[in-house]
Amino acid sequence: TMGNWLVNHWFSAAVLAAWLGINIFLFTYYFLFFDRDERYFYTRAILGSALAWARASAKCLNFNSMLILLPVCRNLLSFLRGTCSCCRRTLRKQLDHNLAFHKLVAYTLALLTAVHTIAHLFNLERYNQSQQATDGSLPAVLSKMHLQGSNKWLNPIHSNQTTVEYVAFTTIPGLTGVIITLALILMVTSSTEFIRRNYFELFWYTHHLFLVYFAGLVIHGIAGLVRGQTEQSMAEVPPHHCAEYLPQRDQNCTHECCKDPEFGSIPAESWKWVLAPIILYVFERLLRVWRAQQKVIVTKVVMHPARVLELQMHKKGFSMEVGQYIFVNCPAISPLEWHPFTLTSAPEEDFFSIHIRAAGDWTERLIDTFQLETPRIEVDGPFGTASEDVFQYEVAMLVGAGIGVTPFASILKSIWYKFQQADQTLKTKKIYFYWLCRDTGAFAWFNDLLASLEQKMAESGKADFLTYRLFLTGWDNSIANNVALHFDTAVDTVTGLRHKTIFGRPMWNVEFAAVAAAHPRSVVGVFLCGPEALAKSLQKSCHQHSSMDPRKVKFYFNKENF
């Protein structure tokens, strides 16, 4: 299984290994540097090893803050997918893991923030203790250095009345540290699957605290509270030699260590790490604004059962591939909110369409608005995801759960057109389509497409090209009785289609084994738009049923990501 995973995800594995390697290197290198370097000899006399913990975690925080924006530059990823169109599909497919990588970097930032904050709390406590100490020890003497001159100080706390809380809320590093930590906590907690699915607006607005995070990060190190001995001072009074004399010098001192050591701040450098990604992200946002300004004409509005709204639109220069998605904004509802929707039209059609299900405040308001009037709509996209690779596989297994069927509406329509036009570029020889749905109403809008497709395939002698199974996962007694009454009819009682609806959930091992047996030498693409639990189950089946023999059946897993 591990071997199969590495074959399918070698690029992801390489990126992860490089990312982890750089993090480990940065942390180890800077930990040892601040723990051993002569410049910080006196700083360590006050702070101990907490200095190294704070500085090493800071370096890793800078590195990961540099990376966090890159996976969410949609236009950059689309550009990379385009330039990669001649690459192997395994490489293009890895770009779909952008959000998984974004989350990984975010959780790493949260962990490093905790390490950095705890280390600095220890540092502040030690600075405070050294300032208040009167025992003539080296930390106590170093803490009184500010009395000798402006650039002599090493301990930023110059008063016995200062508390850790006072430093945290009145100094630039303290205050920005508190603000960016709060921003990070809010962003991480509001981006859970549950909140994104049910309260998208909450997720959307709190995520824009990233502006506060980056502003705070850039300012955070400006005050330079953590200091080290200057190069010139180290040459004049080397610390390993002179430190022992510092607590016991008198006024008539004559030896070489009589001069006071001098200290300088570590220059702020977070901005060097994050400047390039911020500029890239600004360009990304400007491009989105420019694209959004282009006029969108809504050519047709269809209200389907179960509160599903279909919008057919036209936009000059709009060019799509199957299974891509767009971001939609309706200024009348909210000028700032953009929501992702998978395109349900085929590239061969002269319009593009989306199906919007009522799920949350924004979609409810959009559906209500369209029932009264046709408001102005702005569109950004399209953006590419895994589904556009579907025609590259000889055999494709398409799995859609509920409204997650949308990318496959586009694919099935496109196949229908390719058959009509007798397209020679179609590599696909067989499609297995599985739709899992909780209630019958949600099937209604998709019925016409399947019925016309079924008819078209039969007319062109390709009836066996598409095998589909509809699984009804939530059903009541009235449906069961209706099914029992009409069991011998030619068409299904739930959907009116020739292929019967199956009640319950699919047994994936049985389905995969059947596909493997029917296509023993094929490369099978498995495409899912559905929940994470289903993704894990399908991924497991892909690994279990793929042969290690390169000449035999292989299952490649693809998942839709927004």
Short mmCIF file of all heavy atoms in Angstrom, two decimals, residues 436-439 471-475 502-506:
data_model
loop_
_atom_site.label_atom_id
_atom_site.label_comp_id
_atom_site.label_asym_id
_atom_site.label_seq_id
_atom_site.Cartn_x
_atom_site.Cartn_y
_atom_site.Cartn_z
N LEU A 436 -24.57 9.00 -4.89
CA LEU A 436 -25.13 8.71 -3.57
C LEU A 436 -25.94 9.92 -3.13
O LEU A 436 -25.43 11.03 -3.13
CB LEU A 436 -24.00 8.48 -2.55
CG LEU A 436 -23.19 7.20 -2.66
CD1 LEU A 436 -22.36 7.14 -3.92
CD2 LEU A 436 -22.26 7.08 -1.44
N CYS A 437 -27.20 9.69 -2.80
CA CYS A 437 -28.06 10.82 -2.47
C CYS A 437 -29.00 10.49 -1.33
O CYS A 437 -29.44 9.34 -1.19
CB CYS A 437 -28.87 11.19 -3.71
SG CYS A 437 -29.35 12.90 -3.68
N ARG A 438 -29.28 11.50 -0.51
CA ARG A 438 -30.09 11.24 0.68
C ARG A 438 -31.59 11.29 0.40
O ARG A 438 -32.34 10.51 0.94
CB ARG A 438 -29.73 12.25 1.77
CG ARG A 438 -30.13 11.80 3.15
CD ARG A 438 -29.55 12.69 4.24
NE ARG A 438 -28.14 12.42 4.48
CZ ARG A 438 -27.24 13.36 4.75
NH1 ARG A 438 -27.59 14.61 4.83
NH2 ARG A 438 -25.98 13.05 4.95
N ASP A 439 -32.03 12.24 -0.46
CA ASP A 439 -33.49 12.30 -0.71
C ASP A 439 -33.79 12.41 -2.19
O ASP A 439 -32.98 12.90 -2.97
CB ASP A 439 -34.11 13.48 0.07
CG ASP A 439 -33.78 14.81 -0.57
OD1 ASP A 439 -32.65 15.30 -0.37
OD2 ASP A 439 -34.66 15.35 -1.27
N PHE A 471 -27.58 5.42 -5.69
CA PHE A 471 -27.77 4.87 -4.34
C PHE A 471 -28.56 5.87 -3.50
O PHE A 471 -28.12 7.00 -3.30
CB PHE A 471 -26.42 4.61 -3.68
CG PHE A 471 -25.64 3.51 -4.33
CD1 PHE A 471 -24.80 3.79 -5.41
CD2 PHE A 471 -25.74 2.20 -3.89
CE1 PHE A 471 -24.08 2.77 -6.03
CE2 PHE A 471 -25.02 1.18 -4.51
CZ PHE A 471 -24.18 1.46 -5.58
N LEU A 472 -29.72 5.43 -3.05
CA LEU A 472 -30.54 6.29 -2.20
C LEU A 472 -30.22 5.93 -0.75
O LEU A 472 -30.57 4.85 -0.28
CB LEU A 472 -32.02 6.08 -2.51
CG LEU A 472 -32.95 7.19 -2.06
CD1 LEU A 472 -32.60 8.50 -2.74
CD2 LEU A 472 -34.40 6.83 -2.37
N THR A 473 -29.52 6.83 -0.04
CA THR A 473 -29.01 6.50 1.30
C THR A 473 -29.99 6.86 2.42
O THR A 473 -29.82 6.45 3.55
CB THR A 473 -27.66 7.20 1.56
OG1 THR A 473 -27.84 8.60 1.37
CG2 THR A 473 -26.60 6.70 0.61
N GLY A 474 -31.03 7.66 2.10
CA GLY A 474 -32.04 7.97 3.11
C GLY A 474 -33.41 7.80 2.47
O GLY A 474 -33.72 8.47 1.51
N TRP A 475 -34.25 6.88 2.98
CA TRP A 475 -35.55 6.66 2.33
C TRP A 475 -36.57 6.24 3.37
O TRP A 475 -36.24 5.73 4.42
CB TRP A 475 -35.43 5.63 1.21
CG TRP A 475 -34.87 4.30 1.62
CD1 TRP A 475 -33.66 4.08 2.21
CD2 TRP A 475 -35.49 3.02 1.49
NE1 TRP A 475 -33.48 2.75 2.43
CE2 TRP A 475 -34.58 2.06 1.99
CE3 TRP A 475 -36.72 2.58 0.97
CZ2 TRP A 475 -34.85 0.71 2.01
CZ3 TRP A 475 -36.99 1.22 0.98
CH2 TRP A 475 -36.07 0.30 1.50
N ILE A 502 -30.61 1.86 -6.21
CA ILE A 502 -30.25 0.87 -5.19
C ILE A 502 -30.43 1.55 -3.84
O ILE A 502 -30.00 2.70 -3.63
CB ILE A 502 -28.78 0.40 -5.38
CG1 ILE A 502 -28.63 -0.24 -6.76
CG2 ILE A 502 -28.36 -0.56 -4.27
CD1 ILE A 502 -27.22 -0.25 -7.28
N PHE A 503 -31.08 0.86 -2.90
CA PHE A 503 -31.32 1.45 -1.58
C PHE A 503 -30.21 1.05 -0.63
O PHE A 503 -29.89 -0.12 -0.49
CB PHE A 503 -32.71 1.03 -1.06
CG PHE A 503 -33.81 1.60 -1.90
CD1 PHE A 503 -34.33 0.91 -2.97
CD2 PHE A 503 -34.30 2.88 -1.64
CE1 PHE A 503 -35.32 1.45 -3.77
CE2 PHE A 503 -35.29 3.43 -2.44
CZ PHE A 503 -35.80 2.71 -3.50
N GLY A 504 -29.61 2.06 0.02
CA GLY A 504 -28.49 1.78 0.92
C GLY A 504 -27.19 2.32 0.34
O GLY A 504 -27.19 3.02 -0.67
N ARG A 505 -26.08 2.00 0.98
CA ARG A 505 -24.76 2.50 0.55
C ARG A 505 -24.04 1.47 -0.30
O ARG A 505 -24.24 0.27 -0.14
CB ARG A 505 -23.91 2.85 1.78
CG ARG A 505 -24.52 3.95 2.60
CD ARG A 505 -23.67 4.43 3.74
NE ARG A 505 -24.37 5.48 4.48
CZ ARG A 505 -24.43 6.73 4.09
NH1 ARG A 505 -23.80 7.13 3.01
NH2 ARG A 505 -25.10 7.63 4.80
N PRO A 506 -23.15 1.93 -1.19
CA PRO A 506 -22.43 0.98 -2.03
C PRO A 506 -21.41 0.16 -1.22
O PRO A 506 -20.84 0.68 -0.26
CB PRO A 506 -21.70 1.86 -3.05
CG PRO A 506 -21.91 3.26 -2.65
CD PRO A 506 -22.81 3.31 -1.49
#
